[in-house]
Amino acid sequence: QLQLVESGGGLVQAGGSLRLACAASGPILRYSMGWFRQRPGNKREFVAAVSWSGGTTYYADSVKGRFTIARDNDRNTAFLQMDILTPDDADIYFCAASARISMLTNPNNYAYWGQGIQVTVSS
């Protein structure tokens, strides 16, 4: 059982940056890692994903060019660098791990989830 814990969220002004981290309780080398976000009452939305090696990344169109996903397998940690934040980016962000190497935009393909962390962007 892999446990994931997010950190790095908080309040930032529009145009600012935040860096989220996702620390895993065990090795993540076998897993693709993803970030999703969700507002109350809405479906969980794909943000970004990275392959086990870090060599392939995927982004939602809404964050492409502003967000960067990365991973450090030696530290069992994944990251989401978020730049040029807008109020539309304000959500609860979740880290997730998947044993799959494809279809990583679908939250149903992730077996492990963090508890979520709040990101607030003031205008």
Side-chain angles (χ1 to χ4, degrees):
Q1 193 82 359
L2 193 68
Q3 293 182 324
L4 305 174
V5 179
E6 301 94 340
S7 63
L11 173 64
V12 64
Q13 284 191 325
S17 298
L18 281 174
R19 187 187 194 215
L20 302 183
C22 171
S25 61
I28 62 171
L29 184 60
R30 296 183 301 159
Y31 298 99
S32 302
M33 300 298 293
W35 287 93
F36 291 77
R37 63 189 184 186
Q38 186 174 24
R39 293 187 181 181
N42 288 2
K43 291 193 298 185
R44 199 160 289 189
E45 176 190 22
F46 170 75
V47 175
V50 60
S51 63
W52 67 271
S53 67
T56 305
T57 55
Y58 310 86
Y59 295 96
D61 288 342
S62 59
V63 306
K64 207 170 290 185
R66 300 187 298 120
F67 289 14
T68 304
I69 189 170
R71 62 190 294 157
D72 184 337
N73 288 336
D74 290 336
R75 293 167 56 191
N76 298 326
T77 304
F79 303 94
L80 184 68
Q81 176 68 40
M82 305 187 294
D83 298 318
I84 317 176
L85 284 160
T86 75
D88 286 342
D89 295 316
D91 272 318
I92 298 174
Y93 282 72
F94 296 87
C95 171
S98 173
R100 298 181 63 111
I101 59 172
S102 63
M103 301 183 71
L104 295 175
T105 62
N106 187 339
N108 294 325
N109 291 330
Y110 289 78
Y112 303 105
W113 290 87
Q115 80 286 354
I117 193 162
Q118 181 71 52
V119 170
T120 304
V121 183
S122 63
S123 56

